[in-house]
Amino acid sequence: MKKILNEPLAYVDEMLDGLCLAHPDVYRRAGESGRVIARAAPAREGKVGVVSGGGSGHLPLFTGYVGTGLLDACAIGNVFAGPTVGDCIDAMREADHGAGVLRLYGNYGGDRMNFDMAGELAELDGLESTTVLVTDDVASASAQESAKRRGVAGVVYAYRFAGAKAEQEGASLADVTAVARKAVAGCRSIGVALTPCIVPEVGKPGFTIDDGEIEMGMGIHGEPGLWRGPLKRADALVQEMLERLLSDLDTARGERVSVLVNSLGATPYEELYIVFRAVARELQTRGLQIVQPLVGRYATSMEMTGVSLTIQRLDSELEWLLHAPAVSPFWRA
C-alpha cells in the first residue's frame, strides 16, 4: 500500500484538521466527536438549514460542500462508513437557525438509519426537519425501482439547488425541500471504473479490475456494476452512458441541462475533457443545450481511476439557483 499518511486510524481526523487549517474562513470542526464540519461563520437567523453526511474517502463530496449557498453542516464517518447517530444530531443542531433543517444525503442503508434516528431524536427537542434522499445512479436499480437507487455525484446538484434556495429571504423548509425533490427527480448518473481503490484501514484494494478491463456502472464503494469487459474508446463509452441516462430521463429536444463530468479520483483533467467533448457533441445532436457544465473532481472514490457522468434537467428556477452565489473551495463553475 502506498499512501501519504501517518496512522491509518488517524486518517480521517488528521484530514479534517488539515481541511479546516487550510480554509479557516469556510470550515470549522464541531460536534462532540469533532466529526462534524460546519460553516466558519454562522448563517443568518431564520434561514433554513441544509445538512448532509456520509463516509470519508469521497472528497470533496460531503464535507467539502459546506459553505454559503451550499450546506450548513455535514457529519462525516470513517472511510466508506457512514456517520454516527450522535454526529448526525450534532450536524442538525449546527444547521438549525430557527426555520427547520433539511436532511439531504445519498440513499445508503447506514446513512438512512442513522439520520432517521437522529431526526426523530432532534424533533423530540423541537427541531423540525425533512428528508430528501438522492437516488441518481441508474446502474443500481431499474427505473421501476428507482427508490432503491444509490446517490452518487448527482448529490452535488441537490446541494447546490437546496443550498441556494435556503439562502433566499423568506424561503421555508417546505420550499427548500420541494427544490431538492425536484432536483433529484431530474438527475441521473452513471460511472465507469478502470482501477480499484484502497481503504487506509484495510491496506489493500477492496476489489480487482484486470489490466485492460473496465466495469460499467460500478458504485463509488466498489458495488457491482452492469458489465465488465475490455476498455473501449472514449466516444463509445460516452455513447453508452448517455443512452442509459437519457432514456431514463426521457428528455426532449430544446431542453436545457447541466452536465457533470466527474473524476472518480485519479482520472486526469485531460481525459475528463475528452469525455466532455464527446458529451457536448452528442447532446447537441439530440437538441439539448448545456448550461454551466461542471468538469473536475466533485465526488471521488479515493484514488479510483474512472469517470462518472451526470445529467441534470433544468427549469427556470433551477437554472437561476445554479448561478446563485456560493462559497466553497471545491465549488467551481
Side-chain angles (χ1 to χ4, degrees):
M1 177 182 73
K2 291 184 179 180
K3 284 188 175 292
I4 300 173
L5 51 73
N6 293 306
E7 297 295 331
L9 292 177
Y11 188 85
V12 174
D13 290 302
E14 291 185 353
M15 174 274 294
L16 293 176
D17 281 345
L19 180 75
C20 294
L21 287 168
H23 308 287
D25 56 326
V26 180
Y27 306 120
R28 62 181 173 87
R29 294 186 73 173
E32 186 174 342
S33 71
R35 288 290 187 90
V36 172
I37 294 295
R39 294 187 189 185
R44 60 176 172 81
E45 281 301 308
K47 174 192 171 299
V48 174
V50 183
V51 67
S52 191
S56 297
H58 303 297
L59 270 173
L61 194 59
F62 307 130
T63 48
Y65 295 114
V66 171
T68 303
L70 294 157
L71 299 175
D72 289 88
C74 183
I76 192 73
N78 289 328
V79 175
F80 294 180
T84 66
V85 175
D87 291 335
C88 292
I89 293 174
D90 288 343
M92 292 179 66
R93 289 172 176 158
E94 289 288 338
D96 180 22
H97 312 297
V101 173
L102 167 64
R103 293 171 277 157
L104 180 60
Y105 52 94
N107 187 25
Y108 294 92
D111 296 347
R112 287 200 317 270
M113 179 178 67
N114 288 350
F115 262 110
D116 285 349
M117 190 176 299
E120 292 173 3
L121 293 172
E123 286 170 3
L124 290 175
D125 293 333
L127 196 165
E128 182 184 5
S129 67
T130 57
T131 297
V132 173
L133 296 177
V134 181
T135 54
D136 56 310
D137 186 358
V138 301
S140 55
S142 68
Q144 292 72 33
E145 294 185 302
S146 59
K148 296 181 179 180
R149 287 175 171 170
R150 299 183 290 255
V152 285
V155 74
V156 175
Y157 282 114
Y159 290 167
R160 183 68 193 100
F161 299 135
K165 186 68 177 180
E167 298 290 348
Q168 293 181 344
E169 291 280 354
S172 67
L173 179 58
D175 296 332
V176 176
T177 303
V179 161
R181 286 177 178 154
K182 179 166 60 172
V184 171
C187 185
R188 302 290 187 276
S189 300
I190 190 169
V192 59
L194 281 68
T195 67
C197 59
I198 298 170
V199 176
E201 293 178 17
V202 177
K204 61 182 180 180
F207 57 92
T208 59
I209 298 179
D210 291 340
D211 289 343
E213 269 194 333
I214 60 173
E215 184 156 345
M216 177 65 70
M218 177 173 278
I220 59 175
H221 307 105
E223 298 94 338
L226 299 169
W227 58 261
R228 181 175 289 206
L231 177 63
K232 297 181 180 181
R233 291 168 61 90
D235 288 357
L237 285 175
V238 169
Q239 183 70 31
E240 177 176 344
M241 295 168 86
L242 281 176
E243 286 288 348
R244 293 182 181 277
L245 296 178
L246 296 177
S247 63
D248 205 280
L249 271 176
D250 193 25
T251 52
R253 297 185 70 85
E255 284 196 58
R256 295 164 70 82
V257 299
S258 187
V259 174
L260 169 56
V261 177
N262 171 61
S263 170
L264 291 174
T267 306
Y269 272 90
E270 288 85 349
E271 294 170 31
L272 299 181
Y273 283 113
I274 290 172
V275 169
F276 181 75
R277 169 184 177 272
V279 170
R281 287 184 169 188
E282 181 62 25
L283 293 188
Q284 183 179 30
T285 299
R286 293 171 180 258
L288 298 174
Q289 183 174 347
I290 298 176
V291 177
Q292 195 166 307
L294 308 175
V295 180
R297 293 181 177 89
Y298 287 83
T300 65
S301 182
M302 298 299 290
E303 72 275 37
M304 183 187 291
T305 307
V307 63
S308 68
L309 177 58
T310 302
I311 304 292
Q312 174 69 61
R313 298 175 86 167
L314 300 173
D315 60 14
S316 58
E317 180 184 33
L318 294 184
E319 187 169 338
W320 188 94
L321 294 170
L322 186 62
H323 291 291
V327 176
S328 163
F330 301 104
W331 175 254
R332 300 183 304 278

